[in-house]
Amino acid sequence: MLDLNRLKALHAVHVYGSVGAAADALMVTPSAVSQQIAKLERETGARLVERNGRGVRLTDAAGLLAEHAERILALVETAEADFEALRGAVVGRLQMGAFPTATRGLMPGALTGLRARHPDLQVVLNEREPERVVREVARGELDLGVIQDWMNRPMAIPDGLSKATLLDDIADVVLPSGHPLAGSREIELAALSGEQWISSSPGTVCHDWLVFTLRSADLEPDISCMADEYPTQMALVAAGLGCAIIPRLGRDLVPEGATVVPLLPRQSRRIYAIWRTDAARRPAIRAAVDALTHASRTHENAWATV
């Protein structure tokens, strides 16, 4: 009988490419992964790893076994989800991941609600960039993720994942209070030609989106400052160092010296919850999506009164 934990260790090395990366994903030591694979070698009577420079590589036998392990682990997850669905209890451990703005803006309310309604559910929250959340949900490291994409730059969701829209997060332009357009009711994006911009770091979803959106409006991005936290971007705007486009979920309080004006055409990003389709029947998944939806509606209602 093949041991499930040993198959999980082998599968992780197959997916992540090294013992060290597999150990990080499984949250154990590299020694523990190596020991599990050594035991699996004795169990199967087959050589599974070979030395490759300073690391190891999987043999053909290991690759074959890892492919079977992937199907076995998926079946186990489905069985666990079905069993939890049969019991109808929101229990167990739920690993969640969310991008930084959602971690700050949605998760406190959602997790507080979950804890109040389902005290036997243990939730672990991890802050991640959206692309990493997608990868980790797909690989089974996270049970549920919160991601975002921009309406003019949608993100592809891999097969095997399901999603639910939580909210459309409108983005406004933030200007220094002394800017000539600061008193406008609305601003056409094209009217901001020649401005300096404050952006997230290169390679992030929001930086790439800003560059794409400005160029789509025939504006060449002149980025003077880069900061990943929206409150920091707003502080830089208030200091007169440039303009920024900031989603409402990430806006918090507007600092003195900055003014928020709606943009035309309307810019927004869509925020989703994602999970593996095989785990969809878990009551914990449904409860978490419900809690996130409720927290999202609370934010939308607050924006409607502004």
Side-chain angles (χ1 to χ4, degrees), residues 130-166:
E131 297 93 338
R132 184 175 175 185
V133 171
V134 172
R135 290 196 304 269
E136 294 187 356
V137 172
R139 291 170 175 170
E141 297 161 45
L142 296 173
D143 300 302
L144 184 74
V146 178
I147 64 169
Q148 56 104 358
D149 61 18
W150 290 89
M151 300 295 277
N152 57 345
R153 292 206 79 179
M155 178 185 294
I157 302 298
D159 292 340
L161 298 187
S162 298
K163 68 179 183 180
T165 300
L166 299 175

PDB file of all heavy atoms in Angstrom, residues 130-166:
ATOM      1  N   PRO A 130      -1.590  38.313  -7.090  1.00  0.00           N
ATOM      2  CA  PRO A 130      -2.622  37.503  -7.746  1.00  0.00           C
ATOM      3  C   PRO A 130      -2.102  36.300  -8.518  1.00  0.00           C
ATOM      4  O   PRO A 130      -2.676  35.207  -8.441  1.00  0.00           O
ATOM      5  CB  PRO A 130      -3.320  38.506  -8.675  1.00  0.00           C
ATOM      6  CG  PRO A 130      -3.134  39.816  -8.007  1.00  0.00           C
ATOM      7  CD  PRO A 130      -1.773  39.758  -7.368  1.00  0.00           C
ATOM      8  N   GLU A 131      -1.010  36.473  -9.279  1.00  0.00           N
ATOM      9  CA  GLU A 131      -0.502  35.354 -10.073  1.00  0.00           C
ATOM     10  C   GLU A 131      -0.079  34.197  -9.170  1.00  0.00           C
ATOM     11  O   GLU A 131      -0.290  33.030  -9.498  1.00  0.00           O
ATOM     12  CB  GLU A 131       0.689  35.794 -10.941  1.00  0.00           C
ATOM     13  CG  GLU A 131       0.339  36.852 -11.959  1.00  0.00           C
ATOM     14  CD  GLU A 131       0.593  38.254 -11.425  1.00  0.00           C
ATOM     15  OE1 GLU A 131       0.639  38.434 -10.174  1.00  0.00           O
ATOM     16  OE2 GLU A 131       0.727  39.176 -12.256  1.00  0.00           O
ATOM     17  N   ARG A 132       0.539  34.524  -8.050  1.00  0.00           N
ATOM     18  CA  ARG A 132       0.964  33.473  -7.118  1.00  0.00           C
ATOM     19  C   ARG A 132      -0.236  32.796  -6.481  1.00  0.00           C
ATOM     20  O   ARG A 132      -0.238  31.580  -6.273  1.00  0.00           O
ATOM     21  CB  ARG A 132       1.889  34.056  -6.049  1.00  0.00           C
ATOM     22  CG  ARG A 132       2.450  32.993  -5.101  1.00  0.00           C
ATOM     23  CD  ARG A 132       3.448  33.576  -4.122  1.00  0.00           C
ATOM     24  NE  ARG A 132       3.864  32.574  -3.156  1.00  0.00           N
ATOM     25  CZ  ARG A 132       4.651  32.821  -2.125  1.00  0.00           C
ATOM     26  NH1 ARG A 132       5.121  34.057  -1.928  1.00  0.00           N
ATOM     27  NH2 ARG A 132       4.984  31.852  -1.285  1.00  0.00           N
ATOM     28  N   VAL A 133      -1.277  33.572  -6.167  1.00  0.00           N
ATOM     29  CA  VAL A 133      -2.491  32.976  -5.610  1.00  0.00           C
ATOM     30  C   VAL A 133      -3.061  31.941  -6.577  1.00  0.00           C
ATOM     31  O   VAL A 133      -3.418  30.829  -6.172  1.00  0.00           O
ATOM     32  CB  VAL A 133      -3.547  34.065  -5.303  1.00  0.00           C
ATOM     33  CG1 VAL A 133      -4.885  33.429  -4.940  1.00  0.00           C
ATOM     34  CG2 VAL A 133      -3.076  34.949  -4.153  1.00  0.00           C
ATOM     35  N   VAL A 134      -3.132  32.291  -7.861  1.00  0.00           N
ATOM     36  CA  VAL A 134      -3.680  31.363  -8.857  1.00  0.00           C
ATOM     37  C   VAL A 134      -2.858  30.079  -8.884  1.00  0.00           C
ATOM     38  O   VAL A 134      -3.409  28.965  -8.875  1.00  0.00           O
ATOM     39  CB  VAL A 134      -3.711  32.022 -10.248  1.00  0.00           C
ATOM     40  CG1 VAL A 134      -4.085  30.997 -11.322  1.00  0.00           C
ATOM     41  CG2 VAL A 134      -4.710  33.171 -10.268  1.00  0.00           C
ATOM     42  N   ARG A 135      -1.535  30.223  -8.921  1.00  0.00           N
ATOM     43  CA  ARG A 135      -0.674  29.027  -8.963  1.00  0.00           C
ATOM     44  C   ARG A 135      -0.877  28.156  -7.728  1.00  0.00           C
ATOM     45  O   ARG A 135      -0.970  26.926  -7.829  1.00  0.00           O
ATOM     46  CB  ARG A 135       0.802  29.441  -9.061  1.00  0.00           C
ATOM     47  CG  ARG A 135       1.216  30.047 -10.382  1.00  0.00           C
ATOM     48  CD  ARG A 135       2.730  30.061 -10.528  1.00  0.00           C
ATOM     49  NE  ARG A 135       3.393  30.761  -9.432  1.00  0.00           N
ATOM     50  CZ  ARG A 135       3.681  32.054  -9.440  1.00  0.00           C
ATOM     51  NH1 ARG A 135       3.332  32.796 -10.485  1.00  0.00           N
ATOM     52  NH2 ARG A 135       4.315  32.622  -8.439  1.00  0.00           N
ATOM     53  N   GLU A 136      -0.937  28.780  -6.563  1.00  0.00           N
ATOM     54  CA  GLU A 136      -1.000  27.995  -5.338  1.00  0.00           C
ATOM     55  C   GLU A 136      -2.368  27.355  -5.127  1.00  0.00           C
ATOM     56  O   GLU A 136      -2.466  26.268  -4.555  1.00  0.00           O
ATOM     57  CB  GLU A 136      -0.597  28.861  -4.145  1.00  0.00           C
ATOM     58  CG  GLU A 136       0.878  29.266  -4.221  1.00  0.00           C
ATOM     59  CD  GLU A 136       1.385  29.979  -2.982  1.00  0.00           C
ATOM     60  OE1 GLU A 136       0.578  30.239  -2.055  1.00  0.00           O
ATOM     61  OE2 GLU A 136       2.590  30.293  -2.929  1.00  0.00           O
ATOM     62  N   VAL A 137      -3.422  28.010  -5.598  1.00  0.00           N
ATOM     63  CA  VAL A 137      -4.738  27.358  -5.548  1.00  0.00           C
ATOM     64  C   VAL A 137      -4.758  26.171  -6.503  1.00  0.00           C
ATOM     65  O   VAL A 137      -5.228  25.078  -6.158  1.00  0.00           O
ATOM     66  CB  VAL A 137      -5.869  28.357  -5.869  1.00  0.00           C
ATOM     67  CG1 VAL A 137      -7.208  27.630  -6.014  1.00  0.00           C
ATOM     68  CG2 VAL A 137      -5.978  29.413  -4.777  1.00  0.00           C
ATOM     69  N   ALA A 138      -4.239  26.368  -7.703  1.00  0.00           N
ATOM     70  CA  ALA A 138      -4.232  25.285  -8.692  1.00  0.00           C
ATOM     71  C   ALA A 138      -3.434  24.084  -8.194  1.00  0.00           C
ATOM     72  O   ALA A 138      -3.789  22.929  -8.468  1.00  0.00           O
ATOM     73  CB  ALA A 138      -3.673  25.788 -10.017  1.00  0.00           C
ATOM     74  N   ARG A 139      -2.349  24.330  -7.457  1.00  0.00           N
ATOM     75  CA  ARG A 139      -1.496  23.246  -6.985  1.00  0.00           C
ATOM     76  C   ARG A 139      -1.974  22.633  -5.680  1.00  0.00           C
ATOM     77  O   ARG A 139      -1.419  21.644  -5.213  1.00  0.00           O
ATOM     78  CB  ARG A 139      -0.071  23.770  -6.790  1.00  0.00           C
ATOM     79  CG  ARG A 139       0.639  24.111  -8.089  1.00  0.00           C
ATOM     80  CD  ARG A 139       1.930  24.840  -7.793  1.00  0.00           C
ATOM     81  NE  ARG A 139       2.697  25.083  -9.011  1.00  0.00           N
ATOM     82  CZ  ARG A 139       3.772  25.863  -9.070  1.00  0.00           C
ATOM     83  NH1 ARG A 139       4.209  26.462  -7.973  1.00  0.00           N
ATOM     84  NH2 ARG A 139       4.417  26.016 -10.207  1.00  0.00           N
ATOM     85  N   GLY A 140      -2.988  23.231  -5.060  1.00  0.00           N
ATOM     86  CA  GLY A 140      -3.503  22.677  -3.810  1.00  0.00           C
ATOM     87  C   GLY A 140      -2.839  23.212  -2.571  1.00  0.00           C
ATOM     88  O   GLY A 140      -3.135  22.754  -1.460  1.00  0.00           O
ATOM     89  N   GLU A 141      -1.951  24.208  -2.698  1.00  0.00           N
ATOM     90  CA  GLU A 141      -1.321  24.798  -1.519  1.00  0.00           C
ATOM     91  C   GLU A 141      -2.294  25.717  -0.791  1.00  0.00           C
ATOM     92  O   GLU A 141      -2.213  25.874   0.435  1.00  0.00           O
ATOM     93  CB  GLU A 141      -0.080  25.578  -1.928  1.00  0.00           C
ATOM     94  CG  GLU A 141       0.999  24.721  -2.561  1.00  0.00           C
ATOM     95  CD  GLU A 141       1.978  25.564  -3.355  1.00  0.00           C
ATOM     96  OE1 GLU A 141       2.403  26.616  -2.860  1.00  0.00           O
ATOM     97  OE2 GLU A 141       2.299  25.164  -4.489  1.00  0.00           O
ATOM     98  N   LEU A 142      -3.154  26.365  -1.533  1.00  0.00           N
ATOM     99  CA  LEU A 142      -4.213  27.189  -0.965  1.00  0.00           C
ATOM    100  C   LEU A 142      -5.555  26.565  -1.332  1.00  0.00           C
ATOM    101  O   LEU A 142      -5.726  26.036  -2.426  1.00  0.00           O
ATOM    102  CB  LEU A 142      -4.158  28.618  -1.514  1.00  0.00           C
ATOM    103  CG  LEU A 142      -2.923  29.449  -1.184  1.00  0.00           C
ATOM    104  CD1 LEU A 142      -2.962  30.771  -1.948  1.00  0.00           C
ATOM    105  CD2 LEU A 142      -2.816  29.705   0.308  1.00  0.00           C
ATOM    106  N   ASP A 143      -6.511  26.645  -0.414  1.00  0.00           N
ATOM    107  CA  ASP A 143      -7.854  26.138  -0.685  1.00  0.00           C
ATOM    108  C   ASP A 143      -8.714  27.165  -1.401  1.00  0.00           C
ATOM    109  O   ASP A 143      -9.574  26.813  -2.209  1.00  0.00           O
ATOM    110  CB  ASP A 143      -8.540  25.742   0.632  1.00  0.00           C
ATOM    111  CG  ASP A 143      -7.781  24.660   1.364  1.00  0.00           C
ATOM    112  OD1 ASP A 143      -7.586  23.579   0.779  1.00  0.00           O
ATOM    113  OD2 ASP A 143      -7.372  24.885   2.524  1.00  0.00           O
ATOM    114  N   LEU A 144      -8.488  28.434  -1.089  1.00  0.00           N
ATOM    115  CA  LEU A 144      -9.319  29.510  -1.639  1.00  0.00           C
ATOM    116  C   LEU A 144      -8.445  30.734  -1.828  1.00  0.00           C
ATOM    117  O   LEU A 144      -7.602  31.048  -0.981  1.00  0.00           O
ATOM    118  CB  LEU A 144     -10.469  29.830  -0.673  1.00  0.00           C
ATOM    119  CG  LEU A 144     -11.494  30.866  -1.130  1.00  0.00           C
ATOM    120  CD1 LEU A 144     -12.399  30.272  -2.196  1.00  0.00           C
ATOM    121  CD2 LEU A 144     -12.333  31.338   0.047  1.00  0.00           C
ATOM    122  N   GLY A 145      -8.627  31.430  -2.942  1.00  0.00           N
ATOM    123  CA  GLY A 145      -7.845  32.625  -3.208  1.00  0.00           C
ATOM    124  C   GLY A 145      -8.727  33.795  -3.593  1.00  0.00           C
ATOM    125  O   GLY A 145      -9.840  33.614  -4.088  1.00  0.00           O
ATOM    126  N   VAL A 146      -8.216  34.989  -3.347  1.00  0.00           N
ATOM    127  CA  VAL A 146      -8.873  36.216  -3.803  1.00  0.00           C
ATOM    128  C   VAL A 146      -7.894  36.911  -4.743  1.00  0.00           C
ATOM    129  O   VAL A 146      -6.756  37.224  -4.361  1.00  0.00           O
ATOM    130  CB  VAL A 146      -9.248  37.133  -2.627  1.00  0.00           C
ATOM    131  CG1 VAL A 146      -9.889  38.422  -3.153  1.00  0.00           C
ATOM    132  CG2 VAL A 146     -10.202  36.423  -1.684  1.00  0.00           C
ATOM    133  N   ILE A 147      -8.317  37.127  -5.976  1.00  0.00           N
ATOM    134  CA  ILE A 147      -7.465  37.718  -6.999  1.00  0.00           C
ATOM    135  C   ILE A 147      -8.188  38.882  -7.654  1.00  0.00           C
ATOM    136  O   ILE A 147      -9.383  39.112  -7.401  1.00  0.00           O
ATOM    137  CB  ILE A 147      -7.057  36.683  -8.068  1.00  0.00           C
ATOM    138  CG1 ILE A 147      -8.302  36.197  -8.837  1.00  0.00           C
ATOM    139  CG2 ILE A 147      -6.317  35.506  -7.437  1.00  0.00           C
ATOM    140  CD1 ILE A 147      -7.968  35.374 -10.077  1.00  0.00           C
ATOM    141  N   GLN A 148      -7.469  39.604  -8.491  1.00  0.00           N
ATOM    142  CA  GLN A 148      -8.076  40.723  -9.217  1.00  0.00           C
ATOM    143  C   GLN A 148      -7.498  40.802 -10.610  1.00  0.00           C
ATOM    144  O   GLN A 148      -6.355  40.409 -10.845  1.00  0.00           O
ATOM    145  CB  GLN A 148      -7.834  42.036  -8.459  1.00  0.00           C
ATOM    146  CG  GLN A 148      -6.371  42.344  -8.170  1.00  0.00           C
ATOM    147  CD  GLN A 148      -5.768  43.415  -9.069  1.00  0.00           C
ATOM    148  OE1 GLN A 148      -6.429  43.936  -9.957  1.00  0.00           O
ATOM    149  NE2 GLN A 148      -4.511  43.719  -8.852  1.00  0.00           N
ATOM    150  N   ASP A 149      -8.305  41.275 -11.530  1.00  0.00           N
ATOM    151  CA  ASP A 149      -7.793  41.683 -12.835  1.00  0.00           C
ATOM    152  C   ASP A 149      -8.536  42.950 -13.252  1.00  0.00           C
ATOM    153  O   ASP A 149      -9.540  43.320 -12.661  1.00  0.00           O
ATOM    154  CB  ASP A 149      -7.910  40.571 -13.883  1.00  0.00           C
ATOM    155  CG  ASP A 149      -9.330  40.121 -14.154  1.00  0.00           C
ATOM    156  OD1 ASP A 149     -10.276  40.861 -13.800  1.00  0.00           O
ATOM    157  OD2 ASP A 149      -9.519  39.035 -14.732  1.00  0.00           O
ATOM    158  N   TRP A 150      -7.976  43.633 -14.230  1.00  0.00           N
ATOM    159  CA  TRP A 150      -8.579  44.868 -14.701  1.00  0.00           C
ATOM    160  C   TRP A 150      -9.498  44.568 -15.878  1.00  0.00           C
ATOM    161  O   TRP A 150      -9.247  43.649 -16.649  1.00  0.00           O
ATOM    162  CB  TRP A 150      -7.495  45.862 -15.097  1.00  0.00           C
ATOM    163  CG  TRP A 150      -6.758  46.371 -13.893  1.00  0.00           C
ATOM    164  CD1 TRP A 150      -5.653  45.820 -13.317  1.00  0.00           C
ATOM    165  CD2 TRP A 150      -7.095  47.509 -13.100  1.00  0.00           C
ATOM    166  NE1 TRP A 150      -5.276  46.541 -12.213  1.00  0.00           N
ATOM    167  CE2 TRP A 150      -6.145  47.598 -12.057  1.00  0.00           C
ATOM    168  CE3 TRP A 150      -8.104  48.484 -13.159  1.00  0.00           C
ATOM    169  CZ2 TRP A 150      -6.167  48.601 -11.096  1.00  0.00           C
ATOM    170  CZ3 TRP A 150      -8.126  49.486 -12.209  1.00  0.00           C
ATOM    171  CH2 TRP A 150      -7.169  49.540 -11.196  1.00  0.00           C
ATOM    172  N   MET A 151     -10.557  45.345 -15.975  1.00  0.00           N
ATOM    173  CA  MET A 151     -11.581  45.059 -16.977  1.00  0.00           C
ATOM    174  C   MET A 151     -11.010  45.082 -18.391  1.00  0.00           C
ATOM    175  O   MET A 151     -11.478  44.342 -19.253  1.00  0.00           O
ATOM    176  CB  MET A 151     -12.730  46.078 -16.860  1.00  0.00           C
ATOM    177  CG  MET A 151     -13.410  46.070 -15.500  1.00  0.00           C
ATOM    178  SD  MET A 151     -14.256  44.528 -15.124  1.00  0.00           S
ATOM    179  CE  MET A 151     -15.809  44.800 -15.962  1.00  0.00           C
ATOM    180  N   ASN A 152      -9.999  45.908 -18.639  1.00  0.00           N
ATOM    181  CA  ASN A 152      -9.399  45.954 -19.973  1.00  0.00           C
ATOM    182  C   ASN A 152      -8.187  45.038 -20.094  1.00  0.00           C
ATOM    183  O   ASN A 152      -7.534  44.998 -21.130  1.00  0.00           O
ATOM    184  CB  ASN A 152      -9.017  47.391 -20.353  1.00  0.00           C
ATOM    185  CG  ASN A 152      -8.063  48.028 -19.358  1.00  0.00           C
ATOM    186  OD1 ASN A 152      -7.870  47.541 -18.253  1.00  0.00           O
ATOM    187  ND2 ASN A 152      -7.465  49.147 -19.765  1.00  0.00           N
ATOM    188  N   ARG A 153      -7.862  44.271 -19.015  1.00  0.00           N
ATOM    189  CA  ARG A 153      -6.772  43.288 -19.071  1.00  0.00           C
ATOM    190  C   ARG A 153      -7.149  42.073 -18.227  1.00  0.00           C
ATOM    191  O   ARG A 153      -6.619  41.860 -17.134  1.00  0.00           O
ATOM    192  CB  ARG A 153      -5.457  43.895 -18.557  1.00  0.00           C
ATOM    193  CG  ARG A 153      -4.890  44.966 -19.461  1.00  0.00           C
ATOM    194  CD  ARG A 153      -3.386  45.085 -19.295  1.00  0.00           C
ATOM    195  NE  ARG A 153      -2.689  44.041 -20.028  1.00  0.00           N
ATOM    196  CZ  ARG A 153      -1.359  43.921 -20.064  1.00  0.00           C
ATOM    197  NH1 ARG A 153      -0.593  44.739 -19.380  1.00  0.00           N
ATOM    198  NH2 ARG A 153      -0.793  42.969 -20.760  1.00  0.00           N
ATOM    199  N   PRO A 154      -8.089  41.246 -18.698  1.00  0.00           N
ATOM    200  CA  PRO A 154      -8.536  40.100 -17.902  1.00  0.00           C
ATOM    201  C   PRO A 154      -7.432  39.062 -17.728  1.00  0.00           C
ATOM    202  O   PRO A 154      -6.548  38.920 -18.567  1.00  0.00           O
ATOM    203  CB  PRO A 154      -9.706  39.538 -18.717  1.00  0.00           C
ATOM    204  CG  PRO A 154      -9.469  40.025 -20.115  1.00  0.00           C
ATOM    205  CD  PRO A 154      -8.797  41.351 -19.989  1.00  0.00           C
ATOM    206  N   MET A 155      -7.521  38.328 -16.605  1.00  0.00           N
ATOM    207  CA  MET A 155      -6.559  37.274 -16.298  1.00  0.00           C
ATOM    208  C   MET A 155      -7.174  35.917 -16.627  1.00  0.00           C
ATOM    209  O   MET A 155      -8.336  35.654 -16.294  1.00  0.00           O
ATOM    210  CB  MET A 155      -6.182  37.321 -14.808  1.00  0.00           C
ATOM    211  CG  MET A 155      -5.207  36.226 -14.375  1.00  0.00           C
ATOM    212  SD  MET A 155      -4.908  36.232 -12.571  1.00  0.00           S
ATOM    213  CE  MET A 155      -4.082  37.805 -12.382  1.00  0.00           C
ATOM    214  N   ALA A 156      -6.408  35.058 -17.276  1.00  0.00           N
ATOM    215  CA  ALA A 156      -6.889  33.716 -17.593  1.00  0.00           C
ATOM    216  C   ALA A 156      -6.878  32.855 -16.329  1.00  0.00           C
ATOM    217  O   ALA A 156      -5.916  32.890 -15.555  1.00  0.00           O
ATOM    218  CB  ALA A 156      -6.015  33.086 -18.666  1.00  0.00           C
ATOM    219  N   ILE A 157      -7.942  32.085 -16.127  1.00  0.00           N
ATOM    220  CA  ILE A 157      -8.045  31.172 -14.991  1.00  0.00           C
ATOM    221  C   ILE A 157      -7.820  29.756 -15.506  1.00  0.00           C
ATOM    222  O   ILE A 157      -8.494  29.317 -16.449  1.00  0.00           O
ATOM    223  CB  ILE A 157      -9.426  31.278 -14.316  1.00  0.00           C
ATOM    224  CG1 ILE A 157      -9.688  32.715 -13.860  1.00  0.00           C
ATOM    225  CG2 ILE A 157      -9.519  30.318 -13.132  1.00  0.00           C
ATOM    226  CD1 ILE A 157      -8.719  33.238 -12.845  1.00  0.00           C
ATOM    227  N   PRO A 158      -6.885  28.996 -14.927  1.00  0.00           N
ATOM    228  CA  PRO A 158      -6.602  27.648 -15.433  1.00  0.00           C
ATOM    229  C   PRO A 158      -7.810  26.716 -15.325  1.00  0.00           C
ATOM    230  O   PRO A 158      -8.700  26.917 -14.483  1.00  0.00           O
ATOM    231  CB  PRO A 158      -5.461  27.158 -14.517  1.00  0.00           C
ATOM    232  CG  PRO A 158      -4.884  28.384 -13.896  1.00  0.00           C
ATOM    233  CD  PRO A 158      -6.008  29.370 -13.809  1.00  0.00           C
ATOM    234  N   ASP A 159      -7.832  25.708 -16.181  1.00  0.00           N
ATOM    235  CA  ASP A 159      -8.845  24.670 -16.066  1.00  0.00           C
ATOM    236  C   ASP A 159      -8.736  24.015 -14.689  1.00  0.00           C
ATOM    237  O   ASP A 159      -7.647  23.884 -14.128  1.00  0.00           O
ATOM    238  CB  ASP A 159      -8.633  23.605 -17.143  1.00  0.00           C
ATOM    239  CG  ASP A 159      -8.920  24.135 -18.540  1.00  0.00           C
ATOM    240  OD1 ASP A 159      -9.624  25.156 -18.651  1.00  0.00           O
ATOM    241  OD2 ASP A 159      -8.432  23.529 -19.518  1.00  0.00           O
ATOM    242  N   GLY A 160      -9.883  23.611 -14.170  1.00  0.00           N
ATOM    243  CA  GLY A 160      -9.892  22.964 -12.863  1.00  0.00           C
ATOM    244  C   GLY A 160     -10.174  23.907 -11.721  1.00  0.00           C
ATOM    245  O   GLY A 160     -10.302  23.473 -10.572  1.00  0.00           O
ATOM    246  N   LEU A 161     -10.271  25.215 -12.021  1.00  0.00           N
ATOM    247  CA  LEU A 161     -10.600  26.198 -10.995  1.00  0.00           C
ATOM    248  C   LEU A 161     -11.976  26.791 -11.268  1.00  0.00           C
ATOM    249  O   LEU A 161     -12.377  26.964 -12.418  1.00  0.00           O
ATOM    250  CB  LEU A 161      -9.569  27.325 -10.947  1.00  0.00           C
ATOM    251  CG  LEU A 161      -8.125  26.972 -10.598  1.00  0.00           C
ATOM    252  CD1 LEU A 161      -7.297  28.243 -10.440  1.00  0.00           C
ATOM    253  CD2 LEU A 161      -8.044  26.119  -9.354  1.00  0.00           C
ATOM    254  N   SER A 162     -12.687  27.097 -10.198  1.00  0.00           N
ATOM    255  CA  SER A 162     -13.956  27.806 -10.291  1.00  0.00           C
ATOM    256  C   SER A 162     -13.783  29.190  -9.676  1.00  0.00           C
ATOM    257  O   SER A 162     -12.854  29.426  -8.895  1.00  0.00           O
ATOM    258  CB  SER A 162     -15.053  27.041  -9.538  1.00  0.00           C
ATOM    259  OG  SER A 162     -15.269  25.769 -10.104  1.00  0.00           O
ATOM    260  N   LYS A 163     -14.677  30.107 -10.043  1.00  0.00           N
ATOM    261  CA  LYS A 163     -14.544  31.457  -9.508  1.00  0.00           C
ATOM    262  C   LYS A 163     -15.910  32.077  -9.275  1.00  0.00           C
ATOM    263  O   LYS A 163     -16.925  31.663  -9.860  1.00  0.00           O
ATOM    264  CB  LYS A 163     -13.732  32.343 -10.449  1.00  0.00           C
ATOM    265  CG  LYS A 163     -14.414  32.655 -11.771  1.00  0.00           C
ATOM    266  CD  LYS A 163     -13.530  33.566 -12.625  1.00  0.00           C
ATOM    267  CE  LYS A 163     -14.231  33.942 -13.934  1.00  0.00           C
ATOM    268  NZ  LYS A 163     -13.395  34.830 -14.763  1.00  0.00           N
ATOM    269  N   ALA A 164     -15.928  33.073  -8.395  1.00  0.00           N
ATOM    270  CA  ALA A 164     -17.132  33.858  -8.121  1.00  0.00           C
ATOM    271  C   ALA A 164     -16.716  35.320  -8.043  1.00  0.00           C
ATOM    272  O   ALA A 164     -15.737  35.665  -7.365  1.00  0.00           O
ATOM    273  CB  ALA A 164     -17.783  33.428  -6.807  1.00  0.00           C
ATOM    274  N   THR A 165     -17.446  36.171  -8.739  1.00  0.00           N
ATOM    275  CA  THR A 165     -17.151  37.605  -8.689  1.00  0.00           C
ATOM    276  C   THR A 165     -17.600  38.177  -7.353  1.00  0.00           C
ATOM    277  O   THR A 165     -18.738  37.946  -6.915  1.00  0.00           O
ATOM    278  CB  THR A 165     -17.857  38.340  -9.835  1.00  0.00           C
ATOM    279  OG1 THR A 165     -17.393  37.816 -11.087  1.00  0.00           O
ATOM    280  CG2 THR A 165     -17.576  39.830  -9.786  1.00  0.00           C
ATOM    281  N   LEU A 166     -16.711  38.916  -6.701  1.00  0.00           N
ATOM    282  CA  LEU A 166     -17.027  39.536  -5.419  1.00  0.00           C
ATOM    283  C   LEU A 166     -17.468  40.984  -5.601  1.00  0.00           C
ATOM    284  O   LEU A 166     -18.456  41.402  -5.022  1.00  0.00           O
ATOM    285  CB  LEU A 166     -15.816  39.466  -4.487  1.00  0.00           C
ATOM    286  CG  LEU A 166     -15.333  38.052  -4.133  1.00  0.00           C
ATOM    287  CD1 LEU A 166     -14.069  38.117  -3.307  1.00  0.00           C
ATOM    288  CD2 LEU A 166     -16.425  37.278  -3.392  1.00  0.00           C
TER     289      LEU A 166
END
